[in-house]
Amino acid sequence: MNRAYRLILEGALDEGSVTELAERMGIGPRHLRRLFLQHLGASPLKIETTRRIHLARNLIDESKLPMTQIAFCSGFKSIREFNHAIRLSTGQSPSELRRAAGAPQSSARSSGLELRLPYRRPFDWASLITFLRQRAIPGVEFVTENSYQRTIGMGGVTGFLTVKPDIKGPRLVAILEIEGSSGLERTVERIRRIFDLGADPIQIASHLSRDPKLRQLIKKRPGLRVPGVWDGFEAAVLAVLGQKLTTPGSNRSVTRLVQMFGTAVDTPIRGLTHLFPGPEVLARADLMKACIDNVRADTLRRLACSTMRSHLTFSTLRTLEQTVSQFGAACGIDESTANYIAMRAFGEPDAFPSRERGLRRSLAGLKPIVPPAQAIDLANQWRPWRAYAAMHFAQ
């Protein structure tokens, strides 16, 4: 059920049905509805409608977008459906809500669209932003203790994103500087995935705290999240180039890759100079010029070609087992690296990169390093939250 809930938050019901979602979970639609009602008190469709309403309310209060645009950006199929859902939820029409909210405050501070994205407390911003800062892509991302900034491309349109904590409450402020609002709903879900805003830290901590070692780690870092990424292909490329859960890898080859094959862009943000190269570019690039060895260059080409031909897709609708199998078959990526990609790119809560030496050393403590098979045995007790356990041991 946790996986189904996360998929709904990421838009699984935008174009699919509850029956199709249930099939992906390997259960019947009636059983899926029963699980949602039992554990969440609402049906899958109700959860999806609530998600759309929250985004719509945010846009009504914080932006100057026309109501028609807000309706479709929020995932509603028609203006009538949008108006009915808002009135049923709030007792007011969208126009009445906007008049009550007054002029958007963001207009005085930024030319971009400003959104406020809530999260459940506790939320360990410091650990998350440190993880992102250590792995920031030169020219594409610029990360400080108080903000995350990056270049983005959506539908052929270039822009940039800034995310920072909101000092007034449990939410993040996201400023989106890009022309138009096409694909805004998906953009919001990408931001939510980077910062793992859909996580329920109390539920996760309650389960993992059954392990005495993890109980102590959770006390030190309550609300630790699994940092995501803006783009799945980007995450896979970085993993192939040596980025791991316990080490950021070398920036040298990544820097050269971006400078030689990325698209140069002009932004007012210091350090942001390029868009990350897409699969259509890397599929035909001479990667040796970026000082990438033959083995990794071959893997990257296979990764890029498989992505272009849709043999490899970065869809959260697949199970962890399907994801690992797909990466292995398409480009020869090993199981541990595929698990790391699943953690970062898909927000897979049960992914566990069992072969990472740094992680196995942390699991061992003062004892000899734990073999991969033993690491998996140890991690089975943490299911379905192995990715969060891995994050705690990797700190």
Side-chain angles (χ1 to χ4, degrees), residues 34-344:
R34 282 197 296 268
L35 288 174
F36 267 73
L37 289 172
Q38 177 183 349
H39 295 282
L40 299 176
S43 69
L45 286 177
K46 180 64 175 178
I47 297 292
E48 168 63 9
T49 300
T50 301
R51 180 182 74 92
R52 292 173 180 171
I53 290 172
H54 283 167
L55 176 56
R57 283 296 309 269
N58 204 325
L59 294 174
I60 289 169
D61 293 344
E62 303 292 341
S63 78
K64 294 182 179 180
L65 292 176
M67 291 301 176
T68 300
Q69 206 168 351
I70 290 176
F72 293 113
C73 283
S74 304
F76 291 98
K77 307 303 184 200
S78 68
I79 299 299
R80 182 177 181 180
E81 180 188 10
F82 167 67
N83 288 332
H84 177 72
I86 295 296
R87 186 176 286 279
L88 190 64
S89 173
T90 67
Q92 295 179 290
S93 70
S95 298
E96 289 169 338
L97 288 173
R98 174 161 280 178
R99 283 195 294 270
Q105 297 179 352
S106 60
S107 61
R109 295 192 298 270
S110 170
S111 59
L113 178 63
E114 185 171 309
L115 303 170
R116 284 172 171 75
L117 307 177
Y119 55 77
R120 295 181 180 91
R121 285 173 166 156
F123 183 78
D124 189 352
W125 166 269
S127 294
L128 189 152
I129 205 68
T130 297
F131 186 96
L132 293 176
R133 187 170 69 246
Q134 291 172 345
R135 291 159 180 79
I137 305 168
V140 176
E141 297 174 302
F142 184 74
V143 187
T144 70
E145 290 183 359
N146 300 311
S147 69
Y148 171 86
Q149 297 176 298
R150 69 162 294 139
T151 58
I152 59 174
M154 295 291 291
V157 181
T158 300
F160 55 93
L161 169 71
T162 299
V163 181
K164 55 188 177 181
D166 189 342
I167 60 175
K168 296 181 180 179
R171 56 199 178 188
L172 300 181
V173 177
I175 302 172
L176 188 64
E177 299 275 0
I178 194 168
E179 290 186 11
S181 55
S182 177
L184 181 59
E185 186 182 15
R186 296 294 175 87
T187 300
V188 170
E189 292 312 319
R190 285 189 180 202
I191 300 169
R192 287 176 53 81
R193 189 185 302 170
I194 293 173
F195 294 92
D196 198 13
L197 300 185
D200 184 342
I202 301 299
Q203 179 187 14
I204 295 168
S206 175
H207 180 82
L208 295 181
S209 290
R210 299 170 187 172
D211 184 312
K213 289 183 179 179
L214 273 172
R215 189 182 308 131
Q216 296 303 316
L217 294 175
I218 290 169
K219 287 181 180 179
K220 292 179 180 179
R221 293 185 178 86
L224 185 68
R225 297 303 208 264
V226 175
V229 292
W230 171 260
D231 180 76
F233 175 74
E234 180 182 289
V237 170
L238 296 177
V240 171
L241 292 177
Q243 186 182 105
K244 299 181 182 299
L245 175 65
T246 52
T247 175
S250 172
N251 268 346
R252 192 174 184 182
S253 56
V254 177
T255 301
R256 289 179 174 174
L257 187 81
V258 169
Q259 290 177 346
M260 296 184 69
F261 306 115
T263 302
V265 295
D266 183 23
T267 75
I269 300 176
R270 180 184 56 166
L272 297 188
T273 59
H274 289 77
L275 291 175
F276 194 84
E280 67 286 348
V281 175
L282 295 186
R284 61 177 186 271
D286 183 356
L287 298 175
M288 296 293 290
K289 292 182 178 179
C291 297
I292 296 173
D293 64 74
N294 284 328
V295 173
R296 287 178 173 170
D298 180 62
T299 302
L300 288 179
R301 276 190 289 270
R302 292 168 64 186
L303 172 66
C305 289
S306 296
T307 303
M308 285 178 61
R309 297 167 184 162
S310 298
H311 296 161
L312 180 66
T313 59
F314 292 89
S315 169
T316 56
L317 301 182
R318 286 176 169 77
T319 65
L320 175 60
E321 291 73 20
Q322 289 170 334
T323 298
V324 171
S325 175
Q326 186 185 47
F327 274 101
C331 22
I333 290 177
D334 67 87
E335 181 177 346
S336 183
T337 301
N339 269 264
Y340 174 69
I341 295 170
M343 285 179 65
R344 303 289 316 281

